[in-house]
Amino acid sequence: MTTDRDNDWRDKDEAGKVRVRFDFEIEPIRSDEATQMVTVRVQPNRRRYSIVEVNGERHYLDKFLLTIISEEDVKEMAVAQFGGLPVIYSPPSIESASEYASVRQGAIAAELRGESYVVPTEKARPQSQLSFAGGTRFLTFLSVDICGSSGLRRRDPEAFERAYDIFLRELATSVGHFHGAILKTTGDGFIATIDSEGYTTQCDNTVDLGLTFLAVLRGSVNPALEAAGLPALTIRVGADCGAARLRKITVPATGFEAPEVASDALNRAVKIEQTAAANELRIGRGLYELVHVQWLERCQEVEFDGNDVGIEGYQVYKVE
């Protein structure tokens, strides 16, 4: 779904539209195995919308974004979305972060006792390079940073490096479970990105992945590290979404060449992460506006200086 709303900080698609989201409740009514067709009942999500009257006509009020849309427009959207068009859905390969963390704790602990590394049974998407053959892309970014890494490294460099190796491998594996990729490592963390044809699922997966980082660290990595006498780690996570383009950095005098992702959304994710508390996920307004109501219900706005990202009044939320 897109709209003509004019908001300077929001990225527009090729048609000059701004991406927005409308949440529907979908109830299967009947299915036909022969034709593989499913008939469903679709209605606006009652947890997100209430009905109001404007000039005698029914409208839906978004309780979270405080916007309204007419009932007729909602009907048109429902027909456009479900009337024979493909619905893109790309769920993670992890069904339960807590159950996954519990299994991984045993695997990591055994490895730290000298046994061989065991790959998770859940299949993670292989690492891949971003392709920008079509020009600008819509991406989501997650910035992850270890709190107090400099002090940990100074106190016991060998123990920190061992802990960091485990941390990076396990969390980077989680990125693959959510169909993402590692953009780069930073020495005390990393930046991940998710690229998908369906931007609503892409944004939902981004928030889910950020919370999974915290669950894996808390439920598997840290218990295994502590049992082996290694330092437990705390992290900050920031996420946002928006337009990105790939450019090549060149220095003719030295022959240096390197690809680089240019994106205000990437810069926002890093700045947001830097303001987060220990073991906390924070997301920007751009991502907040595109996630499902189940995530909106877990968001709480926090103080943030929008001037840090060049957007006065930019809103940021912690996800609990």
Side-chain angles (χ1 to χ4, degrees):
M1 173 185 168
T2 57
T3 179
D4 290 309
R5 290 182 304 168
D6 183 16
N7 296 282
D8 291 339
W9 64 265
R10 292 178 175 85
D11 299 310
K12 297 178 175 61
D13 64 14
E14 295 80 1
K17 305 286 187 178
V18 174
R19 291 176 177 82
V20 296
R21 181 184 191 130
F22 196 92
D23 278 338
F24 291 100
E25 294 177 0
I26 305 172
E27 178 188 356
I29 298 176
R30 58 180 176 273
S31 61
D32 188 325
E33 292 187 5
T35 61
Q36 294 188 330
M37 296 291 290
V38 178
T39 303
V40 298
R41 178 182 291 111
V42 178
Q43 67 177 3
N45 192 295
R46 288 165 290 185
R47 290 155 54 194
R48 182 162 186 173
Y49 306 100
S50 59
I51 297 175
V52 297
E53 282 199 6
V54 179
N55 298 325
E57 297 183 353
R58 285 163 53 99
H59 287 66
Y60 288 94
L61 169 66
D62 188 322
K63 303 172 187 177
F64 295 89
L65 305 187
L66 302 181
T67 57
I68 61 172
I69 184 169
S70 71
E71 188 173 47
E72 289 303 312
D73 286 341
V74 171
K75 291 178 181 178
E76 290 180 9
M77 285 189 295
V79 171
Q81 180 67 35
F82 300 102
L85 295 179
V87 177
I88 299 172
Y89 179 53
S90 182
S93 56
I94 296 175
E95 293 186 4
S96 167
S98 59
E99 293 178 7
Y100 173 81
S102 178
V103 173
R104 291 308 299 163
Q105 178 187 355
I108 299 168
E111 180 185 357
L112 290 171
R113 292 193 301 268
E115 299 181 24
S116 299
Y117 166 67
V118 176
V119 178
T121 56
E122 297 84 354
K123 186 173 179 58
R125 191 184 85 169
Q127 173 73 18
S128 61
Q129 299 300 316
L130 289 173
S131 173
F132 286 72
T136 300
R137 302 287 295 273
F138 178 84
L139 297 177
T140 57
F141 298 95
L142 298 103
S143 177
V144 181
D145 185 71
I146 298 174
C147 303
S149 59
S150 297
L152 291 172
R153 186 179 283 110
R154 281 196 303 270
R155 283 193 291 273
D156 192 336
E158 184 176 346
F160 175 80
E161 291 304 322
R162 183 63 174 135
Y164 179 73
D165 287 345
I166 297 292
F167 151 83
L168 184 60
R169 188 194 65 204
E170 292 299 315
L171 269 65
T173 300
S174 296
V175 173
H177 288 311
F178 284 80
H179 314 293
I182 299 297
L183 187 62
K184 63 178 180 179
T185 58
T186 61
D188 52 6
F190 60 89
I191 295 174
T193 183
I194 296 180
D195 183 13
S196 173
E197 293 182 10
Y199 68 86
T200 54
T201 295
Q202 176 182 356
C203 291
D204 285 341
N205 280 351
T206 300
V207 176
D208 199 353
L209 174 57
L211 293 172
T212 297
F213 287 154
L214 300 177
V216 169
L217 186 69
R218 179 180 61 249
S220 63
V221 173
N222 277 342
L225 292 178
E226 290 178 311
L230 297 172
L233 305 175
T234 57
I235 61 172
R236 298 184 298 264
V237 186
D240 214 340
C241 63
R245 62 186 177 89
L246 190 66
R247 62 188 180 191
K248 180 183 288 187
I249 305 299
T250 62
V251 182
T254 65
F256 173 81
E257 290 187 356
E260 181 181 81
V261 174
S263 173
D264 288 340
L266 170 56
N267 295 336
R268 292 198 301 268
V270 173
K271 291 291 187 181
I272 290 168
E273 169 262 299
Q274 292 171 350
T275 70
N279 292 332
E280 183 178 74
L281 165 64
R282 292 189 176 186
I283 66 173
R285 178 73 183 192
L287 184 56
Y288 176 86
E289 292 193 358
L290 295 179
V291 297
H292 190 271
V293 64
Q294 74 182 60
W295 304 121
L296 295 176
E297 291 171 333
R298 299 175 62 172
C299 288
Q300 180 180 339
E301 187 174 357
V302 295
E303 290 188 11
F304 183 78
D305 185 356
N307 292 321
D308 287 344
V309 294
I311 306 171
E312 186 176 354
Y314 193 69
Q315 294 168 286
V316 169
Y317 306 80
K318 67 177 181 179
V319 187
E320 299 177 332

